[in-house]
Amino acid sequence: MANASEDNGAFMEKFVLEPPPGSSSNPQLPLHGLTFAVKDIFDVAGYVTGFGNPDWARTHSAATSTAPAVLDVLKDGAKSIGKTVMDEMAYSINGENIHYGTPVNPCAAERVPGGSSSGSAVAVGAGLTDFSLGTDTGGSVRVPASYCGIFGFRPSHDAVSTSGVTPMAQSFDTVGWFARDPMILKRVGHTLLHLPDQDAALIPTQVIVADDCFELSSIPQDRIPGILVSSVEKLYGANVVKHAILGDYVQEKVPSLGHFMSKETKTKDQEHNNIPSLAALSTAMRLLQKHEFKNNHGEWVTTVKPDFGPGLAERIWEAVESTVEHVEICRSVKSELRDALSALLGDTGILAIPTVPGPPPKLQTDATTLEGFRARAFSLLSIAGVSGFCQVSIPLGTHEDLPVSVSLIAKHGQDGFLLNLVQNLYGTIKEQVQAVQK
């Protein structure tokens, strides 16, 4: 493992993968001269894919081929400098790893970096690489991007090949990426999504601010939705901005969620200051996630009985030992939500929500203390996760010296539109952030 003091503990293993012959010397390639790192969930020929756990690494052989997503960015001129630390079996959004160390959050060293793509986010946030590759099943790119003050993009489900990537839960798994500026975010996106060099920069027909979702956040309203609304109005006009109570809309348009809503769950949601329909959405997502995780890895876990860190051990064994019901209902929820949000946004509409409900928690915070925060976080994260829509987390500077962000969600397949929008909008957002932070 790399020296933690040299690289913020981001790297599992350092090595150099050069672009193929002809690519490294071609300055016309979109990623020419850029460096990147890959989460230790991607296959790289000749290296063991460790999946965040030493027992996994010990019981698996070196990969014989390299994941297509990695090959794509190499072919477009980028150079890889190593593999990054991740949460064990991708089953956490904290970013803490008891075996390999927790990558140091470059924005707040005493706070978690976010996971499970922790090392990949830290590598970019600390300026060690120009971009990095991660995966996002339940939030593993969006959360660390927010916590580390950088851009993170979760693409539309199935838009980027997950071949050669150790699966977590295939109904939600995506290959995502991190960058410090929107231009590199877009260039990497064009490579991974195989988008044309010149695509039309469409103007959003509406930017819908989910007011109830922003009420889940502990950050003052003027620091997140306020900055976004001011920026959108300045660039596109006030008539583009709309407001909605997303929870009510989802409850009305996704009838299968009724299976996951009861008096008991509504009482718990009130205790956590949560939105009942989005909490039910999160429940459906995590049930299907458990089912698929068990199918993927249950036999290995029960046979090897690996050493897991605290918190992770309970979560992983709960999934492996669970008898998951309502799987088909969970799949109905996915379909109904995609239809509902497609109708709400159309091809060029945007939904704005907080990425997470607050700043990054302190390191080694007790799981019970974080229960309400995690519940609200997954309510937000499940919107794109269950619908399969694309989502970008955009840094908005700091509040009380801790990083804050906002997320924009676009319809499935509108990844290029969303990447263009971020690039066009971010200059104005940056001006608004600087004005607030003076």
Side-chain angles (χ1 to χ4, degrees):
M1 191 170 114
N3 188 321
S5 64
E6 295 175 357
D7 62 16
N8 280 50
F11 285 90
M12 273 293 302
E13 191 169 8
K14 285 192 172 181
F15 52 74
V16 174
L17 286 181
E18 296 282 357
S23 294
S24 57
S25 58
N26 184 354
Q28 302 302 314
L29 291 172
L31 304 182
H32 174 76
L34 299 182
T35 59
F36 73 100
V38 296
K39 182 178 182 177
D40 195 21
I41 199 170
F42 291 85
D43 285 350
V44 174
Y47 296 89
V48 174
T49 305
F51 207 24
N53 180 271
D55 288 318
W56 182 277
R58 175 179 57 81
T59 55
H60 288 77
S61 302
T64 56
S65 60
T66 299
V70 178
L71 291 175
D72 279 347
V73 292
L74 288 169
K75 288 174 186 173
D76 267 2
K79 177 174 75 174
S80 175
I81 61 170
K83 281 196 170 191
T84 56
V85 175
M86 60 175 284
D87 289 83
E88 298 175 71
M89 302 190 81
Y91 222 131
S92 175
I93 58 169
N94 271 3
E96 296 172 296
N97 189 308
I98 194 171
H99 308 288
Y100 301 121
T102 297
V104 179
N105 187 328
C107 290
E110 76 287 355
R111 304 281 173 146
V112 298
S116 64
S117 307
S118 51
S120 290
V122 168
V124 171
L128 306 173
T129 62
D130 295 305
F131 70 94
S132 62
L133 301 184
T135 59
D136 190 311
T137 302
S140 293
V141 163
R142 294 163 288 168
V143 173
S146 180
Y147 288 177
C148 292
I150 57 176
F151 292 88
F153 198 92
R154 174 197 165 96
S156 298
H157 187 251
D158 282 341
V160 179
S161 171
T162 54
S163 177
V165 180
T166 307
M168 201 275 186
Q170 288 90 330
S171 289
F172 309 104
D173 290 346
T174 61
V175 169
W177 57 99
F178 301 93
R180 287 186 302 280
D181 73 75
M183 176 57 80
I184 291 178
L185 189 82
K186 177 181 172 180
R187 284 158 63 186
V188 174
H190 274 233
T191 291
L192 290 171
L193 293 158
H194 302 147
L195 296 174
D197 291 336
Q198 299 294 328
D199 54 341
L202 299 171
I203 294 174
T205 50
Q206 55 180 344
V207 175
I208 301 173
V209 179
D211 291 331
D212 54 338
C213 291
F214 282 104
E215 288 174 6
L216 296 182
S217 174
S218 62
I219 308 299
Q221 295 289 302
D222 63 332
R223 276 300 282 111
I224 305 184
I227 284 176
L228 177 68
V229 168
S230 298
S231 302
V232 170
E233 289 181 343
K234 185 175 181 181
L235 204 58
Y236 301 116
N239 62 319
V240 171
V241 178
K242 313 292 182 187
H243 293 266
I245 304 300
L246 187 65
D248 289 352
Y249 179 81
V250 168
Q251 184 166 343
E252 179 188 350
K253 300 294 184 180
V254 187
S256 293
L257 280 179
H259 292 275
F260 306 105
M261 298 175 73
S262 64
K263 287 183 179 179
E264 290 77 13
T265 58
K266 286 181 180 178
T267 300
K268 194 168 186 180
D269 295 337
Q270 288 174 346
E271 291 172 358
H272 291 157
N273 297 315
N274 212 341
I275 300 168
S277 61
L278 298 188
L281 196 65
S282 169
T283 298
M285 180 179 76
R286 285 180 287 129
L287 283 174
L288 186 52
Q289 187 180 55
K290 282 181 186 178
H291 172 72
E292 294 183 350
F293 181 87
K294 180 179 180 178
N295 286 345
N296 290 326
H297 305 303
E299 184 178 350
W300 179 80
V301 171
T302 54
T303 302
V304 175
K305 294 181 173 55
D307 179 22
F308 292 126
L312 268 296
E314 293 83 352
R315 202 171 302 135
I316 290 171
W317 277 104
E318 180 190 353
V320 168
E321 293 173 342
S322 64
T323 304
V324 179
E325 300 176 346
H326 308 308
V327 168
E328 290 309 314
I329 297 173
C330 293
R331 293 198 171 109
S332 295
V333 168
K334 278 174 59 67
S335 176
E336 291 169 8
L337 182 68
R338 181 177 292 197
D339 289 346
L341 292 185
S342 295
L344 179 68
L345 298 182
D347 288 338
T348 53
I350 293 292
L351 179 65
I353 64 169
T355 307
V356 287
K362 291 181 179 178
L363 290 163
Q364 298 177 335
T365 301
D366 180 76
T368 306
T369 306
L370 284 178
E371 187 178 352
F373 182 91
R374 279 176 53 84
R376 293 190 296 278
F378 280 115
S379 290
L380 297 169
L381 295 165
S382 64
I383 297 165
V386 176
S387 66
F389 281 25
C390 49
Q391 178 175 342
V392 61
S393 181
I394 303 173
L396 296 181
T398 60
H399 174 69
E400 297 181 347
D401 296 324
L402 294 172
V404 292
S405 67
V406 70
S407 267
L408 304 181
I409 297 173
K411 183 182 175 183
H412 186 276
Q414 291 297 95
D415 304 68
F417 163 63
L418 185 57
L419 287 164
N420 274 334
L421 179 67
V422 174
Q423 185 186 343
N424 294 339
L425 191 58
Y426 189 61
T428 309
I429 286 177
K430 211 169 175 183
E431 290 174 4
Q432 299 289 330
V433 169
Q434 288 169 348
V436 168
Q437 292 191 328
K438 279 182 180 178

